[in-house]
Amino acid sequence: MKTKRVTAMAGVLSALALLSGCGSSATQTGSGGSSTAFQLHWAWSPSTAGFAVAEEENLYQKDGLNISVTPGKGSGTTVQLVSTGKADMGIADSVAITQAVQKGAPLLVVATINQATNTAMQVLNSSGIKKVEDLKGKSVAVPAEGAYSFLLPIFLQSGGLTEDDIKIVTMPFESMAPSLIAGRVDAIVGGQDSHVALAAQDARFTDFAFGDHGVNSVAHSIFTTKSFAEKNPSVVKKVVADSLQGWSEARSHPDQALADIKKLEPNTVDDNARTELSVLLPLLCAGDAQYIGLADSARWKSTMALLERAKLVTNAPDPTTFVSYDYLPPRSALTSCR
C-alpha cells in the first residue's frame, strides 16, 4: 500500500505558501541601530542550541549587533516570514528554502548548519532488522504530514526496495514510538524526536539515518534575502560568524549548551535534551563536511537532484543562484570538522 502523496504534498505546499516577492526591510543594524530580526525554525531546544549559546553568552552583543532572535514554528513559516520581509534573516530546512526559491522568492543561503537531514528510521533491536533489505514485508509507520513520505522511497532504494515491498502505516507522529514499542509496527520514520521518545522509555533500538542511506541532502541553513545581504553585508557576516561560534561551542561543550537552552526554556527536560543533542550535534559535520557552516557545491547539486527525485521540487533551481558562502568568516576562522 502506497502513501497518499497528493494529500501530503498539499500539506507541504500549503505550509510553504509564499508571496513571490520580498518586502523591503528597513533594518540597518548595529550598536544603537534598530534590531535585526532573526527567525528560528523552532523553539528554544537542542534544535536551536547554537543560537541559544550565541544569545546567552552575548556573542551577538559583543560583536556590536542589535539582534532579536525569535523562536519559530517550522521551516515553512520561517521562510515565509523572511521572504515577505517580516524577518531579516533566519534558519530553515533546504527543502523549504528551495521550494520558495523555485516560486520566485529572492532568498540567499549564507551558511549551512546541519550538513545532513535528521530524518531516520528506527527499529527495535529485537526485530531482527539489521539492514534496509530486512524491511521487506515489514510494517513501517510514517507521519501523516511533512516530507518523510517523499524521502522514504529514496531511503528504501538504498536496500533495493520500493514502497510496494513494505506495508506503510500512516499515523500521528506522537503515536509512532508507542506503536513501535507495543509491536504494532516493525519500524517508524522520524528523527531526533522519535529517538528521544524511544530513549525515554528505555527501548533498545537502532537508528537508520537517512543521510547514511541515499538521502544525501544538506539540511538546515542560515538564509536571508538578496536585498538584505546587499544592503547589510557586515551585519550578515557578523550574524553568521557569531551563530557559527555558538554552534561550535555547543559541539565542544554540550552541557553548557544545555544550560543556555534552559535559561531560555526553563521547562527543558535534561535527559531528553542531552539525548537530542547527541543526535543533532554530529550533523554539523556530517556529509564529509570540512568546516562547520560550509557545504561544498557538489553537496548542493546532489541535494537539488535528490529533491527532484523525491518530487519535492520540479526543475530545481541552480544552487549557485541562491547559495553564497561569501558571508562566512575566512577558512582559517571556521571550526574544522577534521
Side-chain angles (χ1 to χ4, degrees):
M1 173 173 129
K2 294 191 176 182
T3 52
K4 295 182 179 178
R5 293 191 178 282
V6 174
T7 301
M9 178 60 90
V12 172
L13 294 181
S14 64
L16 297 173
L18 301 166
L19 297 177
S20 60
C22 172
S24 61
S25 171
T27 304
Q28 298 292 326
T29 307
S31 181
S34 58
S35 178
T36 291
F38 190 97
Q39 181 65 48
L40 299 176
H41 65 300
W42 204 242
W44 291 115
S45 66
S47 294
T48 53
F51 302 107
V53 173
E55 179 83 355
E56 288 302 308
E57 302 304 319
N58 296 317
L59 301 183
Y60 299 123
Q61 292 78 3
K62 290 175 183 176
D63 215 0
L65 286 168
N66 183 5
I67 186 171
S68 173
V69 183
T70 304
K73 297 181 179 180
S75 288
T77 300
T78 296
V79 166
Q80 185 175 11
L81 291 171
V82 175
S83 296
T84 56
K86 293 180 175 63
D88 300 309
M89 300 179 67
I91 178 171
D93 187 83
S94 62
V95 177
I97 295 171
T98 304
Q99 288 180 327
V101 170
Q102 186 182 37
K103 292 182 176 183
L107 303 180
L108 186 68
V109 169
V110 292
T112 294
I113 303 301
N114 289 348
Q115 300 282 351
T117 177
N118 59 7
T119 305
M121 176 173 287
Q122 283 117 13
V123 301
L124 297 180
N125 292 347
S126 59
S127 67
I129 299 172
K130 305 295 184 183
K131 53 187 182 298
V132 177
E133 293 91 319
D134 296 334
L135 290 167
K136 188 169 185 177
K138 304 295 186 180
S139 56
V140 179
V142 180
E145 296 181 355
Y148 301 97
S149 63
F150 298 95
L151 298 176
L152 179 59
I154 298 173
F155 169 82
L156 293 172
Q157 287 171 17
S158 70
L161 302 179
T162 70
E163 290 175 289
D164 291 329
D165 293 314
I166 63 174
K167 302 172 184 175
I168 294 177
V169 181
T170 302
M171 65 174 60
F173 193 92
E174 60 271 17
S175 300
M176 294 199 306
S179 295
L180 183 66
I181 292 173
R184 290 191 287 271
V185 293
D186 299 305
I188 60 176
V189 176
Q192 82 272 11
D193 290 340
S194 52
H195 181 107
V196 169
L198 291 169
Q201 295 298 315
D202 295 321
R204 295 181 179 275
F205 65 97
T206 297
D207 280 303
F208 287 88
F210 274 34
D212 295 332
H213 295 85
V215 186
N216 57 339
S217 58
V218 296
H220 295 85
S221 295
I222 297 175
F223 71 106
T224 183
T225 59
K226 293 178 179 179
S227 61
F228 185 82
E230 290 171 359
K231 294 176 183 177
N232 304 277
S234 63
V235 171
V236 174
K237 289 180 178 180
K238 287 182 178 182
V239 172
V240 166
D242 298 335
S243 298
L244 293 183
Q245 183 181 344
W247 277 104
S248 296
E249 292 186 10
R251 178 174 177 249
S252 299
H253 306 288
D255 285 341
Q256 181 60 51
L258 175 56
D260 287 335
I261 292 168
K262 290 189 69 174
K263 291 175 187 175
L264 294 160
E265 179 43 74
N267 293 326
T268 299
V269 179
D270 286 22
D271 287 346
N272 290 352
R274 286 194 182 92
T275 298
E276 192 170 355
L277 284 169
S278 73
V279 175
L280 292 177
L281 291 177
L283 298 180
L284 294 169
C285 286
D288 296 322
Q290 296 184 29
Y291 301 98
I292 291 178
L294 174 64
D296 63 38
S297 59
R299 291 273 293 146
W300 274 102
K301 287 179 181 178
S302 65
T303 296
M304 295 301 101
L306 183 141
L307 296 185
E308 284 189 342
R309 285 175 59 198
K311 296 181 173 57
L312 285 165
V313 299
T314 56
N315 299 317
D318 181 347
T320 63
T321 65
F322 71 95
V323 179
S324 172
Y325 292 122
D326 293 342
Y327 298 89
L328 288 178
R331 300 291 187 271
S332 59
L334 291 175
T335 300
S336 174
C337 288
R338 305 305 182 193

